[in-house]
Amino acid sequence: MRKLFLAMAMTIVTATVVSAQENTKENRMNVLSVQTDKDNRNDGDSRLRCGIKFRIGLSGVTKIELESVDGNPLAGRANIKVDAQGNAVMEEIGSASAIITFRASDPSGFTPDKDYYISTLPCDLYGGYRLSIYKDGLVADYFGVHQIVKPGTFITPEDLAESELEFEKPDAPLVEKERPKMDAITHQLFIQYRRKPTEANRQALLERMGIRYDKVVARKKNKLRELEREARTYNIVEHMQGIVNEMVENRDIRIQQQFLRFIDPRRDENPEDTWMVLRGASARNAYIGYTPVTNAEYARFNTGFMYDRGKDDYPVVGISIKDAEAYCNWLSTKDSGHNYRLPTEEEWVLAAGHMPKDVSMNSGHAESGLTAVDAYAQSKGACGGIDFWGNCWEWTSSTDNNGLYIIKGGSWDSKRDDCRSEKSDDARNGSQSYANVGFRVIRTDSN
């Protein structure tokens, strides 16, 4: 598997000034935001030159674009002070740019397997950077994390394989219709941990999952930068900023949830029934309902319950917490081997997983009201269940600081942002019933 390697370049460094009083060296750096492979100059102090070097095996690549997803300056004019300990500090940055475009001077593109150099200012890229590789009118993006460009250092992407690049039209929207597949490195560490669940193997898998998670965050940040440049309304930017903030704030929790799902070895005992394995749950052998409870299911418990003809498979709504708990208790009395209850917020999120950005669902008035629970069956949660997002909110047994019950998943009249699995600031009075709130059930072993 051929990999794409990267590291440094073409920084123009001029006038070095030594200050006896401060015992520092001051250097003037000028890094262009548009560079070509003819500019592979190594002028100035080699201890300051820094950036990215790449060697690519693909033919026909005519342009590489580099961007700091945090908006840190990669190009511009700056004074660089290097103290006695070798630490660099940038001052008076002018004509700053977070994007550098590097073009091939040959119309046929860069020569395969040859070193090329992109210059940058010293830059903290720990939060992420984007490399866009242009080939035959298409572009593929790679996101790197956890790297810092220091004076005299040359970073490389640490895990990019050219065979994994996905090329598409440059103006194609950022689409996440499916959850990312497990990459080869993560899969290898996963198998290693399953075979030998030592603490060292656990940490190795967790660290790799952290890198994968941070790459997703970097992609989101990059989309945010793009919206800041191009969006016509601030609401769109604000929406994406909220997603990024939540992902950063809840990073460790979400990685832990993913890890627990990963290592849970259970398989579905009966693929034909309506109960899905709730991988990662701490409860004994927990399963969750494939869909929210429907009108027809609830009516078998409450024979006086009335609903519109033809809506057997619609989610039951207008149900208080007490009503939902009574239904769960009824199920428990009919099954000596299992207990039934409402999910906690954590269990609900484990079951749903992260909501893909462009998932098809009944929200934002896409429909004129509720739909059957299987109307959007192609959109599945992490557990394999459906109808987690949109259609109707779902009760959980968790409460907020005010004693209100947390609801999850949004409804047909909710904004898409409110449907996100991780959104936790929606809560209702459990003693009341609501026309857009239903519920889903957890099943655990009784022994």
Side-chain angles (χ1 to χ4, degrees):
M1 182 179 292
R2 180 174 289 167
K3 293 190 175 182
L4 176 70
F5 299 95
L6 289 119
M8 115 98 219
M10 184 218 100
T11 304
I12 302 172
V13 181
T14 61
T16 299
V17 179
V18 178
S19 170
Q21 292 181 340
E22 299 179 4
N23 192 29
T24 62
K25 292 183 178 181
E26 185 174 276
N27 303 271
R28 184 70 172 173
M29 294 183 69
N30 180 31
V31 177
L32 303 178
S33 60
V34 178
Q35 304 173 18
T36 72
D37 54 6
K38 288 185 175 180
D39 298 322
N40 290 338
R41 297 193 300 273
N42 294 318
D43 303 336
D45 192 337
S46 62
R47 293 173 298 175
L48 291 179
R49 294 197 308 272
C50 58
I52 293 182
K53 170 181 129 184
F54 69 87
R55 177 190 300 167
I56 190 164
L58 295 171
S59 60
V61 175
T62 57
K63 183 173 72 172
I64 302 286
E65 192 172 73
L66 168 67
E67 178 174 11
S68 164
V69 300
D70 289 315
N72 295 327
L74 295 173
R77 298 185 301 273
N79 289 330
I80 310 294
K81 288 187 176 181
V82 182
D83 61 22
Q85 287 73 41
N87 300 314
V89 178
M90 285 196 298
E91 297 180 345
E92 302 177 16
I93 302 176
S95 302
S97 174
I99 301 175
I100 291 177
T101 301
F102 189 79
R103 301 181 184 277
S105 57
D106 189 329
S108 64
F110 301 110
T111 302
D113 297 318
K114 176 182 177 181
D115 289 340
Y116 291 97
Y117 302 88
I118 303 175
S119 301
T120 72
L121 294 170
C123 185
D124 183 354
L125 295 176
Y126 193 89
Y129 62 92
R130 168 183 61 85
L131 280 172
S132 294
I133 302 165
Y134 290 79
K135 178 182 183 297
D136 301 328
L138 303 176
V139 62
D141 292 326
Y142 163 82
F143 288 89
V145 294
H146 301 180
Q147 293 181 290
I148 299 175
V149 179
K150 297 180 179 180
T153 63
F154 318 113
I155 68 169
T156 65
E158 297 177 338
D159 60 355
L160 174 61
E162 292 181 8
S163 60
E164 296 177 356
L165 291 173
E166 297 182 2
F167 286 89
E168 58 186 4
K169 293 182 179 180
D171 58 351
L174 177 63
V175 176
E176 298 169 289
K177 292 184 178 179
E178 299 180 356
R179 289 178 178 82
K181 296 179 181 179
M182 189 186 301
D183 67 302
I185 298 175
T186 308
H187 184 261
Q188 180 181 0
L189 291 172
F190 170 68
I191 297 299
Q192 182 174 303
Y193 176 79
R194 288 288 295 271
R195 290 174 176 171
K196 192 175 182 180
T198 64
E199 182 60 26
N201 287 342
R202 173 189 174 94
Q203 287 302 316
L205 178 56
L206 272 172
E207 289 176 8
R208 178 60 190 170
M209 292 179 68
I211 291 174
R212 294 284 292 175
Y213 182 89
D214 291 337
K215 285 175 177 287
V216 174
V217 176
R219 178 180 288 270
K220 300 287 188 184
K221 287 181 178 179
N222 189 248
K223 182 62 177 179
L224 176 60
R225 300 285 86 80
E226 179 183 324
L227 290 173
E228 287 174 341
R229 293 190 294 268
E230 301 176 2
R232 296 182 179 180
T233 64
Y234 182 73
N235 289 342
I236 300 176
V237 177
E238 190 175 36
H239 167 72
M240 181 58 72
Q241 183 68 68
I243 293 175
V244 170
N245 290 346
E246 181 277 319
M247 292 186 72
V248 172
E249 180 180 351
N250 295 322
R251 175 186 185 273
D252 293 343
I253 294 175
R254 288 177 60 172
I255 292 174
Q256 182 66 19
Q257 289 174 337
Q258 293 173 6
F259 178 77
L260 291 174
R261 280 196 294 261
F262 256 38
I263 66 173
D264 193 326
R266 290 181 299 152
R267 294 184 178 183
D268 197 340
E269 297 171 352
N270 182 6
E272 302 302 320
D273 69 10
T274 58
W275 297 99
M276 315 302 295
V277 177
L278 184 55
R279 289 183 172 83
S282 58
R284 180 179 176 84
N285 203 23
Y287 283 70
I288 193 165
Y290 179 65
T291 70
V293 175
T294 65
N295 285 324
E297 289 171 332
Y298 188 77
R300 285 195 285 271
F301 154 67
N302 182 354
T303 56
F305 176 71
M306 305 294 292
Y307 59 92
D308 294 339
R309 184 185 299 273
K311 294 187 176 181
D312 289 1
D313 293 334
Y314 280 52
V316 63
V317 293
I319 301 299
S320 68
I321 283 285
K322 183 178 180 180
D323 294 333
E325 290 175 340
Y327 175 81
C328 293
N329 292 336
W330 174 73
L331 289 177
S332 296
T333 62
K334 293 166 60 64
D335 183 354
S336 61
H338 299 99
N339 292 321
Y340 297 82
R341 58 175 173 78
L342 292 175
T344 65
E345 180 187 17
E346 180 182 8
E347 288 171 334
W348 193 97
V349 174
L350 275 174
H354 178 62
M355 184 186 86
K357 177 179 179 294
D358 293 304
V359 65
S360 179
M361 61 184 182
N362 181 15
S363 70
H365 297 269
E367 308 279 356
S368 58
L370 295 172
T371 58
V373 294
D374 60 354
Y376 292 84
Q378 71 275 19
S379 302
K380 294 185 177 181
C383 68
I386 61 174
D387 211 34
F388 279 100
W389 310 291
N391 211 15
C392 74
W393 292 96
E394 298 181 23
W395 288 114
T396 73
S397 61
S398 301
T399 57
D400 65 10
N401 294 332
N402 298 317
L404 299 176
Y405 285 85
I406 296 170
I407 55 176
K408 305 295 292 184
S411 64
W412 68 273
D413 56 352
S414 300
K415 296 185 296 185
R416 290 184 68 91
D417 184 47
D418 291 337
C419 300
R420 290 185 296 113
S421 304
E422 299 79 17
K423 191 172 176 61
S424 299
D425 56 357
D426 287 286
R428 302 280 174 90
N429 186 332
S431 64
Q432 297 181 14
S433 59
Y434 303 88
N436 63 354
V437 180
F439 68 103
R440 196 181 299 249
V441 177
I442 290 282
R443 188 191 79 184
T444 61
D445 288 350
S446 57
N447 298 321

